[in-house]
Amino acid sequence: MDTKEILKKVRKIEIKTKKLSNNIFGGEYHSSFKGRGMTFSEVRQYQFGDDVRTIDWNVTARYNEPYVKVFEEERELTMMLMVDISGSEFFGTTNQFKKDTVTEIAATLAFSATQNNDKVGLILFSDAIELYIPPKKGKSHVLRIIRELIEFQPKSKQTNISEALKFLSNVMKKRTIVFMLSDFMDENYERTLKIAGSKHDITGIRVYDRFDEEIPNLGLVPMIDAETGNVQLVNTSSKNIRRNYKANALKLTDYYQNTFKRSGSGTINTRVDEGYVKKLLGYFKQKGR
């Protein structure tokens, strides 16, 4: 894809998603996440009724009378977008790949954060960290993130969610709003999610295709594993094969739902052909209550 084509795609996504974030998600995002963090403001003399846990013992010792720390709501937050760019994201049976929907959702969230003067960062991952863009403010920064989402070519086609979460925990020391966008075709990330979830506000956004969950009866067809590149002939006429395919898909979905729930993290599920606007809006409204 040449530069002109990339810029054209960036502009198209900007127009669509910025309008969404301005008209729909701006206020919902604000009420869902604003004012959750507390930052130190000043010290003052202890007054009757103050929480003893807020006493600043250093200042108290210096002045020989009790002083307490005063905190205020943190107005500036940081959002980190964690985006799965493994091989299975380049799959779609409708008019777009899962990757295209992921890019639109990520752009909408990024513009919502920018509207609130928050910082936005990006982690692109496969079974390794493919790209890390530290959080910054501003429209030009968001446009760079969108450009990377469109044109970045991963080195690996496989997925390792646990490695991505370990990296998040290492680079983000302060509490961060995290959106992980993936089809979650992976397991064994419960422990790392629990650790990351105890520190950050994490939401998993599962973007999937209808054929991720079940295959139609199409007879004998060659099927490629997007993450390994292996091709094999599959008899989709077999009820047993279709049943096993669906059972495996449900197993991964259940693991994702239960693992996120147990770690105290939120989940959104959106199918490529269903549209994501109502799903995101419903989630933000519920979270803001």
Side-chain angles (χ1 to χ4, degrees):
M1 202 185 293
D2 61 29
T3 308
K4 198 174 178 182
E5 200 178 335
I6 289 164
L7 290 172
K8 196 175 172 184
K9 273 194 119 177
V10 170
R11 182 68 183 140
K12 192 178 175 184
I13 288 170
E14 182 194 357
I15 290 165
K16 181 177 181 178
T17 59
K18 202 173 181 185
K19 192 176 178 184
L20 274 174
S21 63
N22 287 348
N23 297 347
I24 303 169
F25 297 117
E28 295 301 339
Y29 166 86
H30 183 91
S31 60
S32 299
F33 299 106
K34 280 293 176 186
R36 296 213 165 183
M38 301 297 282
T39 186
F40 173 71
S41 174
E42 60 180 346
V43 291
R44 61 164 170 77
Q45 281 183 301
Y46 178 85
Q47 294 168 6
F48 180 75
D50 282 339
D51 189 337
V52 292
R53 289 173 298 182
T54 63
I55 291 174
D56 188 318
W57 294 107
N58 289 331
V59 178
T60 297
R62 198 181 307 147
Y63 292 103
N64 213 21
E65 58 180 312
Y67 274 77
V68 293
K69 291 177 182 175
V70 178
F71 294 86
E72 61 181 26
E73 282 188 350
E74 236 171 26
R75 302 318 299 167
E76 181 188 289
L77 299 174
T78 299
M79 177 193 286
M80 182 59 73
L81 297 167
M82 300 183 70
V83 179
D84 177 359
I85 54 169
S86 60
S88 61
E89 295 302 320
F90 293 82
F91 174 75
T93 57
T94 54
N95 60 350
Q96 64 179 17
F97 291 146
K98 286 182 273 186
K99 179 183 182 286
D100 301 323
T101 301
V102 163
T103 299
E104 283 188 18
I105 295 172
T108 303
L109 293 168
F111 279 123
S112 296
T114 299
Q115 199 180 321
N116 283 284
N117 201 33
D118 294 338
K119 294 177 183 175
V120 190
L122 177 70
I123 295 170
L124 297 181
F125 69 93
S126 53
D127 58 349
I129 301 305
E130 299 270 356
L131 178 72
Y132 169 57
I133 300 177
K136 271 176 70 176
K137 292 183 185 183
K139 181 187 165 184
S140 62
H141 181 68
V142 171
L143 292 178
R144 185 202 163 187
I145 285 173
I146 297 169
R147 193 171 69 244
E148 294 292 359
L149 286 165
I150 292 168
E151 69 169 338
F152 191 88
Q153 296 297 314
K155 294 182 183 75
S156 173
K157 290 185 176 181
Q158 303 200 18
T159 314
N160 191 322
I161 288 169
S162 186
E163 282 301 310
L165 288 164
K166 279 180 196 170
F167 182 81
L168 171 76
S169 293
N170 287 335
V171 294
M172 301 309 295
K173 301 302 179 190
K174 282 188 172 181
R175 188 166 176 81
T176 304
I177 296 163
V178 180
F179 289 98
M180 178 177 267
L181 297 99
S182 173
D183 51 18
F184 291 93
M185 291 187 178
D186 190 23
E187 292 178 288
N188 305 316
Y189 53 84
E190 185 164 2
R191 187 173 169 273
T192 45
L193 180 62
K194 201 170 184 181
I195 293 165
S198 66
K199 187 177 172 184
H200 304 296
D201 189 329
I202 302 177
T203 301
I205 302 180
R206 177 175 163 257
V207 178
Y208 65 101
D209 188 272
R210 60 195 172 123
F211 287 166
D212 283 337
E213 297 195 320
E214 51 189 317
I215 44 174
N217 183 349
L218 298 169
L220 200 64
V221 292
M223 293 183 77
I224 184 167
D225 186 320
E227 301 209 353
T228 63
N230 293 337
V231 181
Q232 64 182 91
L233 280 173
V234 177
N235 181 14
T236 60
S237 303
S238 163
K239 282 184 180 177
N240 206 29
I241 284 174
R242 293 203 306 274
R243 196 184 301 119
N244 288 342
Y245 184 95
K246 189 171 184 176
N248 186 56
L250 285 172
K251 181 187 163 207
L252 288 172
T253 304
D254 286 347
Y255 178 81
Y256 152 73
Q257 288 286 154
N258 294 329
T259 301
F260 269 75
K261 189 178 180 180
R262 279 196 294 267
S263 74
S265 302
T267 57
I268 301 170
N269 292 278
T270 180
R271 210 169 78 182
V272 172
D273 59 332
E274 286 179 337
Y276 56 86
V277 176
K278 282 184 179 177
K279 301 278 180 78
L280 282 181
L281 197 55
Y283 177 76
F284 280 158
K285 279 184 173 171
Q286 188 183 6
K287 198 171 174 67
R289 285 191 192 119

